[in-house]
Amino acid sequence: MQSAVTLVGIAKSYGNLKVLGDINLIVRDGSFTSLLGPSGCGKTTLLNIIGGLDRPTGGEVHLGPDLVYSERQQVSLPTERRNIGFVFQSYALWPHLTVLENVSYPLKIRRLGRSERERRAREMLEKLELGVLADRYPFQLSGGQQQRVAIARSIVYRPRILLLDEPLSNLDAQLRERARAWLKNIHETFGLTTILVTHDQTEALSLSDQVVLLSQGRIEQVGTASEIYDRPETAYAAEFVGGANIIRGRAADAGSAMVTEAGIRISVRQKNPLLAGGAMCVAIRPQKIKLIDDIADNFVHGAVLPFAVTTVLYHGSVYEILGRTQVGELRVLTDRAPEATNTNILLPTEDCISVKP
């Protein structure tokens, strides 16, 4: 499949502060890619570099076959010539213009005739089920409606790429869930290459064909949602995406097991020979840890640890349980409350993942 965006050796610094370093990334044409990471990891800076709102201090940016930025070749195509749609966190709707006028404005600056502007704007509003709001002003709209108008304005002129900078962050929890489904539908309907900046793992996993996990200005891991979640490569990836418990120690048996400082041996589902003899981490999702009452019973293979319960939180469908073990504090998600303060837990081998520290 053709590449919509290719980044080669992208770097960004402010004086001695390095924000991005040696970013290499390919975004496929028609795909939905999420730039995921905590605040300060460089994801918005990277989005702005793709859109031309910020200039890197090194590297190249290609949009399709076109070179739009190169420090070496002294190429820097301005934002308005990149044919990119941009939706900001604040939506940035003009308060003195109606919904119809907001959506048609990009066509006005491209010098389309008034009747053509209005026709295409109304057509876009109807496609996004916003036709009845055409004559309203932004202050008369809900947050979700404003978001949809901002997206309509960004795609009415048929850009080749849509860039979204945390567009759901201003919505309440229920509205965010509906907005995620709506964004997914928009992407599938228009087939538009979309790049989303988010710190919300649920958004990234549910919407994306490709997830780019960033940490401190570098790419930690790139893959599909299932690859990032089921096969994290590092402790950071496992902990940030899915909230895995991380247990540290040293590799044993060519990386098929780990021994902690307390001498606890934990076998893993897939050995990593690259870690043999060196520092190693085991990641296990809190919902995979099992509370057990009688260690004499026959259980599947795994490590059994004493578990001293410190906190129990009820979330409606599950209990979140924090407790002390010989390998540190662990978090457990289960459908039942613990029967005693001191109990045991099982770390099933098949659910213990070998990751790099």
Side-chain angles (χ1 to χ4, degrees), residues 44-81:
T44 295
T45 300
L46 189 57
L47 192 78
N48 289 339
I49 285 173
I50 294 170
L53 298 180
D54 204 346
R55 291 167 63 97
T57 49
E60 293 183 350
V61 179
H62 299 257
L63 299 184
D66 303 322
L67 177 65
V68 298
Y69 181 87
S70 173
E71 180 192 32
R72 181 174 55 86
Q73 299 185 44
Q74 296 186 331
V75 174
S76 183
L77 198 68
T79 301
E80 62 270 19
R81 294 178 56 194

Side-chain angles (χ1 to χ4, degrees), residues 146-175:
Q146 289 184 42
Q147 176 219 48
R148 291 160 65 188
V149 171
I151 292 177
R153 184 181 61 182
S154 295
I155 63 179
V156 69
Y157 53 92
R158 299 164 190 165
R160 56 180 167 185
I161 301 170
L162 178 62
L163 305 181
L164 305 173
D165 188 5
E166 302 205 50
L168 309 185
S169 60
N170 292 330
L171 306 180
D172 60 51
Q174 277 191 327
L175 197 53

Side-chain angles (χ1 to χ4, degrees), residues 26 43 48 63 78 110 119-120 127 144 171 174 180 184 213 224 227 231 234 257 269 275 284 300 307 321 340 343:
I26 294 176
K43 55 188 185 294
N48 289 339
L63 299 184
R110 286 165 174 78
R119 183 190 69 78
R120 285 177 56 174
K127 285 182 179 179
L171 306 180
Q174 277 191 327
R180 283 198 293 269
K184 186 77 170 179
L213 181 61
T224 64
E227 286 171 345
R231 294 188 294 280
T234 65
R269 72 180 182 198
L275 300 175
I284 183 167
V300 296
F307 186 67
I321 306 166
T343 183

Side-chain angles (χ1 to χ4, degrees), residues 210-227:
Q210 177 176 249
V211 177
V212 181
L213 181 61
L214 293 164
S215 172
Q216 298 179 345
R218 62 184 178 84
I219 293 178
E220 187 80 9
Q221 187 173 344
V222 179
T224 64
S226 61
E227 286 171 345

Side-chain angles (χ1 to χ4, degrees), residues 1-8 24-31 33 50 60-67 160-161 193-195 210:
M1 186 178 288
Q2 186 179 352
S3 168
V5 179
T6 303
L7 305 179
V8 182
N24 297 286
L25 178 66
I26 294 176
V27 176
R28 299 186 312 277
D29 187 41
S31 67
T33 294
I50 294 170
E60 293 183 350
V61 179
H62 299 257
L63 299 184
D66 303 322
L67 177 65
R160 56 180 167 185
I161 301 170
T193 303
T194 304
I195 303 177
Q210 177 176 249

Side-chain angles (χ1 to χ4, degrees), residues 82-344:
R82 297 191 184 191
N83 192 25
I84 283 178
F86 220 125
V87 178
F88 300 94
Q89 186 174 346
S90 64
Y91 310 140
L93 299 177
W94 288 286
H96 62 290
L97 300 181
T98 64
V99 166
L100 181 64
E101 291 168 337
N102 264 283
V103 173
S104 64
Y105 191 80
L107 303 176
K108 181 178 180 180
I109 63 176
R110 286 165 174 78
R111 300 185 178 181
L112 271 69
R114 181 172 181 175
S115 60
E116 178 65 8
R117 296 198 307 262
E118 184 170 326
R119 183 190 69 78
R120 285 177 56 174
R122 287 191 182 279
E123 183 180 86
M124 181 57 64
L125 289 174
E126 290 298 329
K127 285 182 179 179
L128 303 187
E129 300 179 356
L130 295 168
V132 296
L133 306 178
D135 297 324
R136 294 189 188 180
Y137 288 89
F139 74 89
Q140 296 172 310
L141 306 177
S142 68
Q145 290 169 336
Q146 289 184 42
Q147 176 219 48
R148 291 160 65 188
V149 171
I151 292 177
R153 184 181 61 182
S154 295
I155 63 179
V156 69
Y157 53 92
R158 299 164 190 165
R160 56 180 167 185
I161 301 170
L162 178 62
L163 305 181
L164 305 173
D165 188 5
E166 302 205 50
L168 309 185
S169 60
N170 292 330
L171 306 180
D172 60 51
Q174 277 191 327
L175 197 53
R176 283 178 78 127
E177 290 182 9
R178 296 200 297 271
R180 283 198 293 269
W182 185 79
L183 269 182
K184 186 77 170 179
N185 183 59
I186 287 294
H187 175 254
E188 292 173 351
T189 299
F190 292 92
L192 191 60
T193 303
T194 304
I195 303 177
L196 168 73
V197 160
T198 182
H199 62 270
D200 188 318
Q201 59 165 305
T202 302
E203 284 178 19
L205 296 179
S206 62
L207 291 171
S208 307
D209 306 314
Q210 177 176 249
V211 177
V212 181
L213 181 61
L214 293 164
S215 172
Q216 298 179 345
R218 62 184 178 84
I219 293 178
E220 187 80 9
Q221 187 173 344
V222 179
T224 64
S226 61
E227 286 171 345
I228 295 288
Y229 186 86
D230 293 329
R231 294 188 294 280
E233 296 174 356
T234 65
Y236 172 84
E239 193 170 20
F240 191 86
V241 182
N245 293 286
I246 304 298
I247 306 171
R248 302 181 185 276
R250 298 196 69 81
D253 300 338
S256 63
M258 183 186 76
V259 178
T260 70
E261 290 184 2
I264 305 298
R265 180 186 176 87
I266 301 175
S267 297
V268 297
R269 72 180 182 198
Q270 181 179 359
K271 75 175 183 178
N272 191 336
L274 296 177
L275 300 175
M280 172 179 167
C281 292
V282 165
I284 183 167
R285 305 291 177 192
Q287 61 270 31
K288 298 297 185 180
I289 298 177
K290 303 183 186 301
L291 291 177
I292 56 176
D293 301 315
D294 188 353
I295 60 175
D297 290 345
N298 293 320
F299 296 107
V300 296
H301 296 294
V304 176
L305 303 176
F307 186 67
V309 176
T310 58
T311 306
V312 178
L313 302 173
Y314 179 56
H315 294 295
S317 58
V318 297
Y319 290 89
E320 179 181 5
I321 306 166
L322 302 178
R324 295 188 301 272
T325 74
Q326 296 159 287
V327 298
E329 184 177 74
L330 296 181
R331 186 169 70 102
V332 179
L333 294 177
T334 181
D335 58 0
R336 65 183 180 91
E339 297 180 2
T341 302
N342 293 303
T343 183
N344 298 285

